[in-house]
Amino acid sequence: MTDVCTQGLDTGFVGLGYAKVAFLGIVQGITELLPISSTAHMRVVPAVLGWQDPGSAFSAAMQLAALAAVVSYFWGDVRDVAVGSLSALARRDFANRYFRLAVGIVLATVPIVIAGLALSSVLNACNSPLRGLAVIGWACIVMAVLLALSEIYARHRLTLEKVSVLDALLVGVAQVGALIPGVSRSGSTLTAALGLGYARPEAARLSFLLGLPAIALAGLKELWELHKIHLGAYGWSVLAVGLVVASISAFFAIWGLMRVLERFSAWPFVIYRGLLGVVLLIGVAFGWLS
């Protein structure tokens, strides 16, 4: 299927209708917060089903669903960081762990904001080369290897209370990779946190907390872009259905991820990503997927 352009913005989701967008919202919500790349699945699932590509605008706007899920699931952490950092700032207690974490969250957002603005003309453009299935396939395989290395060599001992500003910044730099479809924001940040030595559940908490501003900014920016092209009422209503469904599925995706990391490891995601990448490359090579 060809892309749908509205003033240069990829808006294929509008033509899918409520039922298909609701289904893709479930897929988006689950894959957005698992380290398996939501963008990859937003390209693969419609391609396999013979549906129109929903477009990068849909994927970006859907991040607001992930934002709602992360804030609600980690509300205790979000509240503690917000209240604790402001209280520490009022006392000028700059060594306070909540203040350090808040500074880290801000600094971790800077790299992806700069990179996102620099690449904005390519990321959400119609027929963007970055959304090619071959690119996504290779990205899945590379990230599977990096996540595997983090599992093999990481110490898995540090907790969120020990996070330093430098650790937060390094995870933020890794987050830039999420701009490449197939890398996964949660996958890149989880891999970086594991590589720095954080315990698996703590690495996930750090990944989600550091990603909150980036997720919010990406989603709000895309809503603004859709507003600028005067998306119609029907388009907004289709998007709203996707957001509601995705936010619910994203909440359960976080719950599932935390259970897997607490009881097992990140290996199931390594295997899944590796197999997905291989299947995509084979499908492209033999013409099964386009």
Side-chain angles (χ1 to χ4, degrees), residues 207-238:
S207 166
F208 289 130
L209 290 176
L210 291 185
L212 282 175
I215 293 172
L217 289 172
L220 292 173
K221 176 182 179 297
E222 208 55 46
L223 289 187
W224 176 246
E225 293 296 331
L226 292 171
H227 168 73
K228 287 198 300 182
I229 65 169
H230 305 294
L231 183 67
Y234 174 71
W236 284 114
S237 65
V238 171

Side-chain angles (χ1 to χ4, degrees), residues 145-157 194-198 200 267:
V145 171
L146 293 177
L147 185 55
L149 291 174
S150 291
E151 271 292 347
I152 293 170
Y153 294 107
R155 299 187 305 273
H156 304 302
R157 289 200 303 264
L194 289 173
L196 290 170
Y198 286 86
R200 295 182 186 94
W267 280 107

Side-chain angles (χ1 to χ4, degrees), residues 59-267:
S59 296
M62 284 295 103
Q63 293 196 54
L64 292 177
L67 176 69
V70 172
V71 170
S72 58
Y73 191 92
F74 292 102
W75 173 245
D77 288 325
V78 173
R79 180 196 58 219
D80 289 346
V81 172
V83 175
S85 60
L86 291 175
S87 177
L89 182 62
R91 301 192 310 270
R92 297 189 178 183
D93 180 11
F94 303 128
N96 180 274
R97 66 186 181 92
Y98 292 121
F99 180 80
R100 292 200 318 271
L101 182 55
V103 171
I105 290 173
V106 173
L107 291 178
T109 308
V110 174
I112 196 170
V113 168
I114 294 174
L117 291 174
L119 297 173
S120 60
S121 61
V122 177
L123 294 173
N124 293 341
C126 294
N127 303 307
S128 172
L130 291 179
R131 287 179 66 82
L133 292 178
V135 173
I136 293 173
W138 281 114
C140 285
I141 291 173
V142 170
M143 285 306 302
V145 171
L146 293 177
L147 185 55
L149 291 174
S150 291
E151 271 292 347
I152 293 170
Y153 294 107
R155 299 187 305 273
H156 304 302
R157 289 200 303 264
L158 297 179
T159 64
L160 198 61
E161 287 70 27
K162 301 293 184 180
V163 66
S164 67
V165 172
L166 177 60
D167 284 352
L169 183 57
L170 290 174
V171 175
V173 171
Q175 188 173 221
V176 174
L179 296 176
I180 302 173
V183 169
S184 167
R185 192 208 63 79
S186 59
S188 60
T189 53
L190 178 64
T191 299
L194 289 173
L196 290 170
Y198 286 86
R200 295 182 186 94
E202 297 296 285
R205 288 174 65 203
L206 180 61
S207 166
F208 289 130
L209 290 176
L210 291 185
L212 282 175
I215 293 172
L217 289 172
L220 292 173
K221 176 182 179 297
E222 208 55 46
L223 289 187
W224 176 246
E225 293 296 331
L226 292 171
H227 168 73
K228 287 198 300 182
I229 65 169
H230 305 294
L231 183 67
Y234 174 71
W236 284 114
S237 65
V238 171
L239 185 63
V241 169
L243 282 169
V244 171
V245 174
S247 63
I248 297 172
S249 61
F251 183 91
F252 288 102
I254 299 176
W255 180 87
L257 174 63
M258 298 303 290
R259 299 293 84 73
V260 170
L261 294 178
E262 287 169 359
R263 299 178 185 179
F264 304 104
S265 67
W267 280 107

Side-chain angles (χ1 to χ4, degrees), residues 14-25:
V14 178
L16 289 172
Y18 297 112
K20 291 179 180 178
V21 163
F23 177 79
L24 292 179

